[in-house]
């Protein structure tokens, strides 16, 4: 098993994984900084209109998941995040260092960054700092990490359905080249 892993971790693969790590750190820092700004500028303040009747910044301490579901389930959310992150790491390690899979690396890194960003909040505060509110459609208040997860997942689904062939996806599970 070790020799097989060593073969798959060539210089190009290591370079790609390092780029993933740098992107992950940058995205998590952006999320953290926006939440920090939300706490110091928006907490205990009236909503801040960006585009009247369309978009505003509105501070919220979310103790649940999307749309406020599953309130106060910190251990459950952290457990799920660890499982998702483990799967993402597994897939990134098994993904060939072929150019065709760069999109997959970017999307999985975005999803991981969102999961980590919100997990940091849950571990530190027992809630997630949300602050972006689309007034026009009365969409639940969210944050930058949520954008990473939502956009990353949506584009990933599109790629799986329309871009990657079944054989290319199977090789991620079997660890073989097509």
């Amino acid at each position: 098993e070790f020799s097989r892993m060593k073969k798959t971790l060539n210089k190009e693969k290591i370079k790609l994984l390092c780029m993933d790590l740098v992107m992950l750190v940058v995205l998590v820092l952006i999320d953290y900084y926006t939440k920090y700004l939300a706490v110091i500028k928006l907490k205990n303040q009236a909503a801040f209109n960006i585009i009247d009747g369309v978009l505003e910044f509105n501070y919220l301490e979310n103790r649940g998941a999307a749309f406020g579901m599953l309130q106060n389930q910190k251990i459950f959310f952290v457990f799920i995040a660890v499982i998702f992150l483990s799967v993402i790491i597994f897939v990134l390690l098994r993904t060939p260092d072929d150019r065709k899979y760069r999109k997959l690396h970017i999307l999985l890194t975005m999803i991981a960054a969102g999961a980590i960003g919100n997990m940091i909040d849950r571990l530190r505060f027992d809630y997630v700092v949300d602050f972006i509110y689309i007034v026009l459609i009365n969409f639940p208040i969210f944050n930058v990490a949520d954008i990473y997860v939502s956009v990353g997942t949506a584009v990933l689904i599109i790629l799986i359905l329309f871009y990657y062939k079944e054989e290319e996806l199977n090789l991620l599970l079997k660890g073989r080249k097509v």
Side-chain angles (χ1 to χ4, degrees):
E1 183 65 29
F2 180 73
S3 64
R4 193 173 80 182
M5 185 182 285
K6 189 175 176 184
K7 284 180 192 174
T8 61
L9 288 178
N10 60 34
K11 287 181 183 177
E12 195 62 34
K13 179 73 166 201
I14 291 170
K15 183 175 144 186
L16 185 57
L17 292 170
C18 286
M19 288 175 21
D20 292 341
L21 184 60
V22 168
M23 181 179 156
L24 178 83
V25 169
V26 168
L27 291 175
V28 170
L29 288 174
I30 291 169
D31 175 62
Y32 182 82
Y33 184 66
T34 59
K35 289 173 180 173
Y36 167 77
L37 289 176
V39 170
I40 64 170
K41 301 283 187 184
L42 301 171
K43 189 172 183 175
N44 300 319
Q45 302 294 320
F48 182 81
N49 276 328
I50 304 299
I51 303 170
D52 195 36
V54 177
L55 178 68
E56 67 185 27
F57 289 155
N58 192 347
Y59 182 83
L60 174 72
E61 294 175 358
N62 184 357
R63 296 176 193 282
F67 313 111
M69 296 183 299
L70 299 169
Q71 292 288 311
N72 301 309
Q73 299 295 319
K74 173 183 169 179
I75 293 170
F76 173 74
F77 289 126
V78 170
F79 176 73
I80 294 298
V82 168
I83 288 174
F84 270 97
L85 291 170
S86 299
V87 169
I88 288 170
I89 291 167
F90 174 80
V91 171
L92 289 175
L93 288 173
R94 292 186 75 115
T95 303
D97 57 335
D98 186 279
R99 190 167 180 74
K100 183 168 184 98
Y101 295 97
R102 300 282 159 84
K103 294 171 191 71
L104 184 65
H105 275 263
I106 291 167
L107 296 171
L108 291 175
T109 301
M110 282 177 63
I111 294 166
I116 290 169
N118 283 339
M119 188 168 61
I120 289 170
D121 275 11
R122 288 189 201 290
L123 292 171
R124 287 185 68 206
F125 310 121
D126 289 336
Y127 57 83
V128 174
V129 173
D130 287 337
F131 60 93
I132 304 168
Y133 178 50
I134 302 174
V135 180
L136 185 66
I137 58 173
N138 193 26
F139 196 79
I141 301 173
F142 58 99
N143 61 43
V144 173
D146 297 334
I147 294 170
Y148 298 158
V149 172
S150 300
V151 171
T153 302
V155 175
L156 181 62
I157 289 169
I158 291 167
L159 286 181
I160 289 170
L161 292 174
F162 302 108
Y163 181 72
Y164 292 114
K165 295 178 182 84
E166 189 175 346
E167 312 86 63
E168 294 168 331
L169 296 172
N170 285 339
L171 83 92
L172 297 176
L173 300 174
K174 295 177 183 163
R176 289 189 218 125
K177 295 235 179 214
V178 177

